[in-house]
Amino acid sequence: MKEFLFIIRGEDEPGTASPAEMQQHLEHWQQWLGELIQTGHFVAGHQLATEGKTVISTTTITDRPLAEGKELIAGYLILRATNAAAAAGLAQACPSLRYGCTIEVREIRHLESE
């Protein structure tokens, strides 16, 4: 199995959802992650804070990521799958997609030590 990085872009809150809708969204995430863990696909993942630093050069650092709104990286997952198509299929079940988030799926290339 190969490892894939899921870069989750979009707002870190599901917009104007009610507290009950937000709770349901959280429960859907827990269910989805539970299934990924049980099937051996889950490796790691975290939600990211919206605040951050962007290093542009050896002399320039900004106080936040350059991207805003739907381009802001909300979090990431590392999952195992046989190929990119299978990894993308796993991503399609992400509960945040219905809130306008997108997921970029990238294969992780492990560096070989000499």
PDB file of all heavy atoms in Angstrom, residues 55-93:
ATOM      1  N   VAL A  55       6.741  31.878   5.109  1.00  0.00           N
ATOM      2  CA  VAL A  55       8.112  32.300   4.828  1.00  0.00           C
ATOM      3  C   VAL A  55       8.225  32.465   3.321  1.00  0.00           C
ATOM      4  O   VAL A  55       8.081  31.507   2.564  1.00  0.00           O
ATOM      5  CB  VAL A  55       9.134  31.268   5.355  1.00  0.00           C
ATOM      6  CG1 VAL A  55      10.551  31.712   5.031  1.00  0.00           C
ATOM      7  CG2 VAL A  55       8.939  31.056   6.849  1.00  0.00           C
ATOM      8  N   ILE A  56       8.460  33.690   2.888  1.00  0.00           N
ATOM      9  CA  ILE A  56       8.507  33.994   1.460  1.00  0.00           C
ATOM     10  C   ILE A  56       9.944  33.979   0.946  1.00  0.00           C
ATOM     11  O   ILE A  56      10.215  33.573  -0.174  1.00  0.00           O
ATOM     12  CB  ILE A  56       7.842  35.361   1.190  1.00  0.00           C
ATOM     13  CG1 ILE A  56       6.359  35.270   1.581  1.00  0.00           C
ATOM     14  CG2 ILE A  56       7.991  35.774  -0.269  1.00  0.00           C
ATOM     15  CD1 ILE A  56       5.628  36.582   1.541  1.00  0.00           C
ATOM     16  N   SER A  57      10.867  34.423   1.779  1.00  0.00           N
ATOM     17  CA  SER A  57      12.274  34.447   1.390  1.00  0.00           C
ATOM     18  C   SER A  57      13.113  34.422   2.657  1.00  0.00           C
ATOM     19  O   SER A  57      12.582  34.330   3.758  1.00  0.00           O
ATOM     20  CB  SER A  57      12.574  35.716   0.574  1.00  0.00           C
ATOM     21  OG  SER A  57      12.478  36.859   1.400  1.00  0.00           O
ATOM     22  N   THR A  58      14.414  34.553   2.501  1.00  0.00           N
ATOM     23  CA  THR A  58      15.288  34.553   3.671  1.00  0.00           C
ATOM     24  C   THR A  58      15.121  35.817   4.510  1.00  0.00           C
ATOM     25  O   THR A  58      15.590  35.869   5.641  1.00  0.00           O
ATOM     26  CB  THR A  58      16.770  34.430   3.245  1.00  0.00           C
ATOM     27  OG1 THR A  58      17.089  35.528   2.374  1.00  0.00           O
ATOM     28  CG2 THR A  58      17.037  33.112   2.564  1.00  0.00           C
ATOM     29  N   THR A  59      14.415  36.819   3.976  1.00  0.00           N
ATOM     30  CA  THR A  59      14.232  38.071   4.714  1.00  0.00           C
ATOM     31  C   THR A  59      12.765  38.438   4.953  1.00  0.00           C
ATOM     32  O   THR A  59      12.488  39.423   5.620  1.00  0.00           O
ATOM     33  CB  THR A  59      14.899  39.241   3.962  1.00  0.00           C
ATOM     34  OG1 THR A  59      14.311  39.350   2.661  1.00  0.00           O
ATOM     35  CG2 THR A  59      16.396  39.023   3.844  1.00  0.00           C
ATOM     36  N   THR A  60      11.818  37.672   4.420  1.00  0.00           N
ATOM     37  CA  THR A  60      10.412  38.053   4.515  1.00  0.00           C
ATOM     38  C   THR A  60       9.557  36.933   5.083  1.00  0.00           C
ATOM     39  O   THR A  60       9.557  35.813   4.557  1.00  0.00           O
ATOM     40  CB  THR A  60       9.859  38.454   3.133  1.00  0.00           C
ATOM     41  OG1 THR A  60      10.696  39.467   2.577  1.00  0.00           O
ATOM     42  CG2 THR A  60       8.438  38.964   3.229  1.00  0.00           C
ATOM     43  N   ILE A  61       8.825  37.260   6.151  1.00  0.00           N
ATOM     44  CA  ILE A  61       7.867  36.342   6.762  1.00  0.00           C
ATOM     45  C   ILE A  61       6.572  37.112   6.963  1.00  0.00           C
ATOM     46  O   ILE A  61       6.581  38.210   7.515  1.00  0.00           O
ATOM     47  CB  ILE A  61       8.374  35.811   8.115  1.00  0.00           C
ATOM     48  CG1 ILE A  61       9.679  35.039   7.933  1.00  0.00           C
ATOM     49  CG2 ILE A  61       7.313  34.943   8.784  1.00  0.00           C
ATOM     50  CD1 ILE A  61      10.323  34.604   9.232  1.00  0.00           C
ATOM     51  N   THR A  62       5.452  36.554   6.509  1.00  0.00           N
ATOM     52  CA  THR A  62       4.158  37.195   6.751  1.00  0.00           C
ATOM     53  C   THR A  62       3.522  36.560   7.978  1.00  0.00           C
ATOM     54  O   THR A  62       3.891  35.468   8.397  1.00  0.00           O
ATOM     55  CB  THR A  62       3.206  37.054   5.548  1.00  0.00           C
ATOM     56  OG1 THR A  62       2.896  35.679   5.372  1.00  0.00           O
ATOM     57  CG2 THR A  62       3.819  37.615   4.285  1.00  0.00           C
ATOM     58  N   ASP A  63       2.534  37.243   8.549  1.00  0.00           N
ATOM     59  CA  ASP A  63       1.893  36.784   9.776  1.00  0.00           C
ATOM     60  C   ASP A  63       0.848  35.706   9.571  1.00  0.00           C
ATOM     61  O   ASP A  63       0.296  35.201  10.528  1.00  0.00           O
ATOM     62  CB  ASP A  63       1.240  37.968  10.491  1.00  0.00           C
ATOM     63  CG  ASP A  63       2.270  38.876  11.122  1.00  0.00           C
ATOM     64  OD1 ASP A  63       3.367  38.391  11.445  1.00  0.00           O
ATOM     65  OD2 ASP A  63       1.974  40.071  11.279  1.00  0.00           O
ATOM     66  N   ARG A  64       0.505  35.373   8.358  1.00  0.00           N
ATOM     67  CA  ARG A  64      -0.529  34.377   8.129  1.00  0.00           C
ATOM     68  C   ARG A  64      -0.285  33.681   6.799  1.00  0.00           C
ATOM     69  O   ARG A  64       0.483  34.165   5.975  1.00  0.00           O
ATOM     70  CB  ARG A  64      -1.901  35.023   8.132  1.00  0.00           C
ATOM     71  CG  ARG A  64      -2.032  36.070   7.053  1.00  0.00           C
ATOM     72  CD  ARG A  64      -3.438  36.623   6.986  1.00  0.00           C
ATOM     73  NE  ARG A  64      -3.540  37.661   5.988  1.00  0.00           N
ATOM     74  CZ  ARG A  64      -3.539  37.468   4.685  1.00  0.00           C
ATOM     75  NH1 ARG A  64      -3.448  36.264   4.191  1.00  0.00           N
ATOM     76  NH2 ARG A  64      -3.628  38.470   3.856  1.00  0.00           N
ATOM     77  N   PRO A  65      -0.989  32.576   6.580  1.00  0.00           N
ATOM     78  CA  PRO A  65      -0.906  31.961   5.257  1.00  0.00           C
ATOM     79  C   PRO A  65      -1.412  32.940   4.193  1.00  0.00           C
ATOM     80  O   PRO A  65      -2.277  33.770   4.462  1.00  0.00           O
ATOM     81  CB  PRO A  65      -1.851  30.757   5.366  1.00  0.00           C
ATOM     82  CG  PRO A  65      -1.980  30.495   6.822  1.00  0.00           C
ATOM     83  CD  PRO A  65      -1.836  31.832   7.501  1.00  0.00           C
ATOM     84  N   LEU A  66      -0.876  32.846   2.984  1.00  0.00           N
ATOM     85  CA  LEU A  66      -1.289  33.742   1.910  1.00  0.00           C
ATOM     86  C   LEU A  66      -2.696  33.444   1.423  1.00  0.00           C
ATOM     87  O   LEU A  66      -3.429  34.326   1.021  1.00  0.00           O
ATOM     88  CB  LEU A  66      -0.309  33.653   0.733  1.00  0.00           C
ATOM     89  CG  LEU A  66       1.092  34.189   1.015  1.00  0.00           C
ATOM     90  CD1 LEU A  66       1.987  33.969  -0.183  1.00  0.00           C
ATOM     91  CD2 LEU A  66       1.041  35.663   1.374  1.00  0.00           C
ATOM     92  N   ALA A  67      -3.091  32.195   1.430  1.00  0.00           N
ATOM     93  CA  ALA A  67      -4.408  31.823   0.930  1.00  0.00           C
ATOM     94  C   ALA A  67      -5.491  32.170   1.948  1.00  0.00           C
ATOM     95  O   ALA A  67      -5.259  32.161   3.144  1.00  0.00           O
ATOM     96  CB  ALA A  67      -4.439  30.334   0.624  1.00  0.00           C
ATOM     97  N   GLU A  68      -6.674  32.490   1.444  1.00  0.00           N
ATOM     98  CA  GLU A  68      -7.791  32.815   2.321  1.00  0.00           C
ATOM     99  C   GLU A  68      -9.030  32.030   1.890  1.00  0.00           C
ATOM    100  O   GLU A  68      -9.108  31.517   0.787  1.00  0.00           O
ATOM    101  CB  GLU A  68      -8.091  34.309   2.249  1.00  0.00           C
ATOM    102  CG  GLU A  68      -6.956  35.164   2.778  1.00  0.00           C
ATOM    103  CD  GLU A  68      -7.270  36.637   2.722  1.00  0.00           C
ATOM    104  OE1 GLU A  68      -8.428  36.998   2.457  1.00  0.00           O
ATOM    105  OE2 GLU A  68      -6.345  37.434   2.929  1.00  0.00           O
ATOM    106  N   GLY A  69     -10.025  31.973   2.776  1.00  0.00           N
ATOM    107  CA  GLY A  69     -11.308  31.366   2.445  1.00  0.00           C
ATOM    108  C   GLY A  69     -11.190  29.921   2.025  1.00  0.00           C
ATOM    109  O   GLY A  69     -10.614  29.104   2.731  1.00  0.00           O
ATOM    110  N   LYS A  70     -11.726  29.608   0.852  1.00  0.00           N
ATOM    111  CA  LYS A  70     -11.758  28.225   0.384  1.00  0.00           C
ATOM    112  C   LYS A  70     -10.364  27.673   0.075  1.00  0.00           C
ATOM    113  O   LYS A  70     -10.196  26.483  -0.064  1.00  0.00           O
ATOM    114  CB  LYS A  70     -12.664  28.102  -0.835  1.00  0.00           C
ATOM    115  CG  LYS A  70     -14.131  28.272  -0.492  1.00  0.00           C
ATOM    116  CD  LYS A  70     -14.997  27.925  -1.667  1.00  0.00           C
ATOM    117  CE  LYS A  70     -16.452  28.053  -1.314  1.00  0.00           C
ATOM    118  NZ  LYS A  70     -16.983  26.932  -0.602  1.00  0.00           N
ATOM    119  N   GLU A  71      -9.369  28.554  -0.080  1.00  0.00           N
ATOM    120  CA  GLU A  71      -8.016  28.090  -0.355  1.00  0.00           C
ATOM    121  C   GLU A  71      -7.230  27.797   0.916  1.00  0.00           C
ATOM    122  O   GLU A  71      -6.173  27.193   0.872  1.00  0.00           O
ATOM    123  CB  GLU A  71      -7.264  29.118  -1.208  1.00  0.00           C
ATOM    124  CG  GLU A  71      -7.800  29.221  -2.615  1.00  0.00           C
ATOM    125  CD  GLU A  71      -7.699  27.892  -3.368  1.00  0.00           C
ATOM    126  OE1 GLU A  71      -6.626  27.266  -3.366  1.00  0.00           O
ATOM    127  OE2 GLU A  71      -8.711  27.481  -3.947  1.00  0.00           O
ATOM    128  N   LEU A  72      -7.739  28.230   2.067  1.00  0.00           N
ATOM    129  CA  LEU A  72      -7.052  28.015   3.334  1.00  0.00           C
ATOM    130  C   LEU A  72      -7.011  26.523   3.652  1.00  0.00           C
ATOM    131  O   LEU A  72      -8.021  25.831   3.537  1.00  0.00           O
ATOM    132  CB  LEU A  72      -7.778  28.765   4.447  1.00  0.00           C
ATOM    133  CG  LEU A  72      -7.090  28.772   5.804  1.00  0.00           C
ATOM    134  CD1 LEU A  72      -5.780  29.549   5.717  1.00  0.00           C
ATOM    135  CD2 LEU A  72      -8.001  29.422   6.836  1.00  0.00           C
ATOM    136  N   ILE A  73      -5.862  26.020   4.037  1.00  0.00           N
ATOM    137  CA  ILE A  73      -5.740  24.606   4.393  1.00  0.00           C
ATOM    138  C   ILE A  73      -6.262  24.431   5.811  1.00  0.00           C
ATOM    139  O   ILE A  73      -5.720  24.970   6.762  1.00  0.00           O
ATOM    140  CB  ILE A  73      -4.285  24.122   4.265  1.00  0.00           C
ATOM    141  CG1 ILE A  73      -3.834  24.244   2.812  1.00  0.00           C
ATOM    142  CG2 ILE A  73      -4.162  22.673   4.753  1.00  0.00           C
ATOM    143  CD1 ILE A  73      -2.375  23.921   2.584  1.00  0.00           C
ATOM    144  N   ALA A  74      -7.364  23.684   5.931  1.00  0.00           N
ATOM    145  CA  ALA A  74      -8.024  23.481   7.221  1.00  0.00           C
ATOM    146  C   ALA A  74      -7.415  22.317   7.991  1.00  0.00           C
ATOM    147  O   ALA A  74      -7.467  22.279   9.211  1.00  0.00           O
ATOM    148  CB  ALA A  74      -9.516  23.235   7.010  1.00  0.00           C
ATOM    149  N   GLY A  75      -6.842  21.354   7.278  1.00  0.00           N
ATOM    150  CA  GLY A  75      -6.264  20.193   7.938  1.00  0.00           C
ATOM    151  C   GLY A  75      -5.707  19.222   6.921  1.00  0.00           C
ATOM    152  O   GLY A  75      -5.713  19.474   5.715  1.00  0.00           O
ATOM    153  N   TYR A  76      -5.220  18.098   7.433  1.00  0.00           N
ATOM    154  CA  TYR A  76      -4.655  17.084   6.545  1.00  0.00           C
ATOM    155  C   TYR A  76      -4.874  15.702   7.147  1.00  0.00           C
ATOM    156  O   TYR A  76      -5.062  15.536   8.347  1.00  0.00           O
ATOM    157  CB  TYR A  76      -3.160  17.323   6.307  1.00  0.00           C
ATOM    158  CG  TYR A  76      -2.322  17.013   7.522  1.00  0.00           C
ATOM    159  CD1 TYR A  76      -1.756  15.747   7.684  1.00  0.00           C
ATOM    160  CD2 TYR A  76      -2.116  17.953   8.515  1.00  0.00           C
ATOM    161  CE1 TYR A  76      -1.012  15.447   8.816  1.00  0.00           C
ATOM    162  CE2 TYR A  76      -1.378  17.666   9.637  1.00  0.00           C
ATOM    163  CZ  TYR A  76      -0.822  16.412   9.782  1.00  0.00           C
ATOM    164  OH  TYR A  76      -0.101  16.109  10.910  1.00  0.00           O
ATOM    165  N   LEU A  77      -4.842  14.729   6.273  1.00  0.00           N
ATOM    166  CA  LEU A  77      -4.852  13.324   6.674  1.00  0.00           C
ATOM    167  C   LEU A  77      -3.788  12.613   5.874  1.00  0.00           C
ATOM    168  O   LEU A  77      -3.488  12.994   4.743  1.00  0.00           O
ATOM    169  CB  LEU A  77      -6.209  12.664   6.361  1.00  0.00           C
ATOM    170  CG  LEU A  77      -7.434  13.188   7.095  1.00  0.00           C
ATOM    171  CD1 LEU A  77      -8.687  12.549   6.510  1.00  0.00           C
ATOM    172  CD2 LEU A  77      -7.330  12.886   8.577  1.00  0.00           C
ATOM    173  N   ILE A  78      -3.218  11.577   6.443  1.00  0.00           N
ATOM    174  CA  ILE A  78      -2.346  10.670   5.697  1.00  0.00           C
ATOM    175  C   ILE A  78      -3.046   9.320   5.728  1.00  0.00           C
ATOM    176  O   ILE A  78      -3.354   8.792   6.795  1.00  0.00           O
ATOM    177  CB  ILE A  78      -0.935  10.580   6.315  1.00  0.00           C
ATOM    178  CG1 ILE A  78      -0.264  11.954   6.279  1.00  0.00           C
ATOM    179  CG2 ILE A  78      -0.101   9.530   5.573  1.00  0.00           C
ATOM    180  CD1 ILE A  78       1.076  12.011   6.989  1.00  0.00           C
ATOM    181  N   LEU A  79      -3.337   8.801   4.533  1.00  0.00           N
ATOM    182  CA  LEU A  79      -4.050   7.532   4.416  1.00  0.00           C
ATOM    183  C   LEU A  79      -3.286   6.571   3.526  1.00  0.00           C
ATOM    184  O   LEU A  79      -2.508   6.985   2.665  1.00  0.00           O
ATOM    185  CB  LEU A  79      -5.447   7.755   3.824  1.00  0.00           C
ATOM    186  CG  LEU A  79      -6.387   8.653   4.626  1.00  0.00           C
ATOM    187  CD1 LEU A  79      -7.728   8.768   3.911  1.00  0.00           C
ATOM    188  CD2 LEU A  79      -6.601   8.127   6.027  1.00  0.00           C
ATOM    189  N   ARG A  80      -3.537   5.294   3.741  1.00  0.00           N
ATOM    190  CA  ARG A  80      -2.964   4.244   2.902  1.00  0.00           C
ATOM    191  C   ARG A  80      -4.004   3.804   1.881  1.00  0.00           C
ATOM    192  O   ARG A  80      -5.177   3.630   2.220  1.00  0.00           O
ATOM    193  CB  ARG A  80      -2.580   3.033   3.738  1.00  0.00           C
ATOM    194  CG  ARG A  80      -1.415   3.233   4.638  1.00  0.00           C
ATOM    195  CD  ARG A  80      -1.048   1.918   5.347  1.00  0.00           C
ATOM    196  NE  ARG A  80      -0.110   2.175   6.401  1.00  0.00           N
ATOM    197  CZ  ARG A  80      -0.442   2.320   7.687  1.00  0.00           C
ATOM    198  NH1 ARG A  80      -1.685   2.210   8.075  1.00  0.00           N
ATOM    199  NH2 ARG A  80       0.483   2.562   8.589  1.00  0.00           N
ATOM    200  N   ALA A  81      -3.559   3.616   0.648  1.00  0.00           N
ATOM    201  CA  ALA A  81      -4.426   3.093  -0.408  1.00  0.00           C
ATOM    202  C   ALA A  81      -3.544   2.433  -1.460  1.00  0.00           C
ATOM    203  O   ALA A  81      -2.335   2.679  -1.513  1.00  0.00           O
ATOM    204  CB  ALA A  81      -5.256   4.211  -1.036  1.00  0.00           C
ATOM    205  N   THR A  82      -4.149   1.613  -2.289  1.00  0.00           N
ATOM    206  CA  THR A  82      -3.373   0.896  -3.301  1.00  0.00           C
ATOM    207  C   THR A  82      -2.879   1.810  -4.414  1.00  0.00           C
ATOM    208  O   THR A  82      -1.816   1.589  -4.978  1.00  0.00           O
ATOM    209  CB  THR A  82      -4.192  -0.257  -3.907  1.00  0.00           C
ATOM    210  OG1 THR A  82      -5.426   0.275  -4.398  1.00  0.00           O
ATOM    211  CG2 THR A  82      -4.471  -1.335  -2.880  1.00  0.00           C
ATOM    212  N   ASN A  83      -3.663   2.844  -4.753  1.00  0.00           N
ATOM    213  CA  ASN A  83      -3.277   3.779  -5.808  1.00  0.00           C
ATOM    214  C   ASN A  83      -4.040   5.087  -5.639  1.00  0.00           C
ATOM    215  O   ASN A  83      -4.892   5.211  -4.756  1.00  0.00           O
ATOM    216  CB  ASN A  83      -3.512   3.173  -7.202  1.00  0.00           C
ATOM    217  CG  ASN A  83      -4.946   2.720  -7.399  1.00  0.00           C
ATOM    218  OD1 ASN A  83      -5.882   3.413  -7.008  1.00  0.00           O
ATOM    219  ND2 ASN A  83      -5.124   1.545  -7.994  1.00  0.00           N
ATOM    220  N   ALA A  84      -3.752   6.062  -6.497  1.00  0.00           N
ATOM    221  CA  ALA A  84      -4.373   7.383  -6.379  1.00  0.00           C
ATOM    222  C   ALA A  84      -5.884   7.324  -6.569  1.00  0.00           C
ATOM    223  O   ALA A  84      -6.629   8.043  -5.899  1.00  0.00           O
ATOM    224  CB  ALA A  84      -3.739   8.352  -7.373  1.00  0.00           C
ATOM    225  N   ALA A  85      -6.344   6.481  -7.469  1.00  0.00           N
ATOM    226  CA  ALA A  85      -7.791   6.368  -7.696  1.00  0.00           C
ATOM    227  C   ALA A  85      -8.493   5.836  -6.450  1.00  0.00           C
ATOM    228  O   ALA A  85      -9.564   6.334  -6.069  1.00  0.00           O
ATOM    229  CB  ALA A  85      -8.069   5.470  -8.897  1.00  0.00           C
ATOM    230  N   ALA A  86      -7.901   4.861  -5.790  1.00  0.00           N
ATOM    231  CA  ALA A  86      -8.492   4.314  -4.567  1.00  0.00           C
ATOM    232  C   ALA A  86      -8.462   5.359  -3.451  1.00  0.00           C
ATOM    233  O   ALA A  86      -9.422   5.491  -2.682  1.00  0.00           O
ATOM    234  CB  ALA A  86      -7.753   3.052  -4.133  1.00  0.00           C
ATOM    235  N   ALA A  87      -7.378   6.130  -3.370  1.00  0.00           N
ATOM    236  CA  ALA A  87      -7.282   7.190  -2.360  1.00  0.00           C
ATOM    237  C   ALA A  87      -8.350   8.257  -2.609  1.00  0.00           C
ATOM    238  O   ALA A  87      -9.010   8.714  -1.680  1.00  0.00           O
ATOM    239  CB  ALA A  87      -5.888   7.812  -2.377  1.00  0.00           C
ATOM    240  N   ALA A  88      -8.540   8.646  -3.867  1.00  0.00           N
ATOM    241  CA  ALA A  88      -9.570   9.631  -4.197  1.00  0.00           C
ATOM    242  C   ALA A  88     -10.958   9.099  -3.851  1.00  0.00           C
ATOM    243  O   ALA A  88     -11.823   9.848  -3.392  1.00  0.00           O
ATOM    244  CB  ALA A  88      -9.487  10.010  -5.673  1.00  0.00           C
ATOM    245  N   GLY A  89     -11.159   7.811  -4.032  1.00  0.00           N
ATOM    246  CA  GLY A  89     -12.430   7.202  -3.655  1.00  0.00           C
ATOM    247  C   GLY A  89     -12.681   7.306  -2.157  1.00  0.00           C
ATOM    248  O   GLY A  89     -13.804   7.563  -1.723  1.00  0.00           O
ATOM    249  N   LEU A  90     -11.630   7.125  -1.361  1.00  0.00           N
ATOM    250  CA  LEU A  90     -11.763   7.292   0.093  1.00  0.00           C
ATOM    251  C   LEU A  90     -12.101   8.738   0.433  1.00  0.00           C
ATOM    252  O   LEU A  90     -12.910   9.008   1.323  1.00  0.00           O
ATOM    253  CB  LEU A  90     -10.466   6.881   0.800  1.00  0.00           C
ATOM    254  CG  LEU A  90     -10.090   5.404   0.739  1.00  0.00           C
ATOM    255  CD1 LEU A  90      -8.677   5.195   1.283  1.00  0.00           C
ATOM    256  CD2 LEU A  90     -11.099   4.558   1.493  1.00  0.00           C
ATOM    257  N   ALA A  91     -11.501   9.679  -0.289  1.00  0.00           N
ATOM    258  CA  ALA A  91     -11.737  11.101  -0.034  1.00  0.00           C
ATOM    259  C   ALA A  91     -13.184  11.497  -0.316  1.00  0.00           C
ATOM    260  O   ALA A  91     -13.717  12.407   0.327  1.00  0.00           O
ATOM    261  CB  ALA A  91     -10.785  11.951  -0.871  1.00  0.00           C
ATOM    262  N   GLN A  92     -13.823  10.830  -1.251  1.00  0.00           N
ATOM    263  CA  GLN A  92     -15.197  11.181  -1.611  1.00  0.00           C
ATOM    264  C   GLN A  92     -16.179  11.015  -0.459  1.00  0.00           C
ATOM    265  O   GLN A  92     -17.256  11.604  -0.481  1.00  0.00           O
ATOM    266  CB  GLN A  92     -15.670  10.350  -2.800  1.00  0.00           C
ATOM    267  CG  GLN A  92     -15.067  10.795  -4.104  1.00  0.00           C
ATOM    268  CD  GLN A  92     -15.604   9.989  -5.265  1.00  0.00           C
ATOM    269  OE1 GLN A  92     -15.549   8.766  -5.260  1.00  0.00           O
ATOM    270  NE2 GLN A  92     -16.128  10.693  -6.245  1.00  0.00           N
ATOM    271  N   ALA A  93     -15.827  10.245   0.550  1.00  0.00           N
ATOM    272  CA  ALA A  93     -16.717  10.039   1.695  1.00  0.00           C
ATOM    273  C   ALA A  93     -16.497  11.077   2.797  1.00  0.00           C
ATOM    274  O   ALA A  93     -17.173  11.030   3.817  1.00  0.00           O
ATOM    275  CB  ALA A  93     -16.517   8.626   2.253  1.00  0.00           C
TER     276      ALA A  93
END
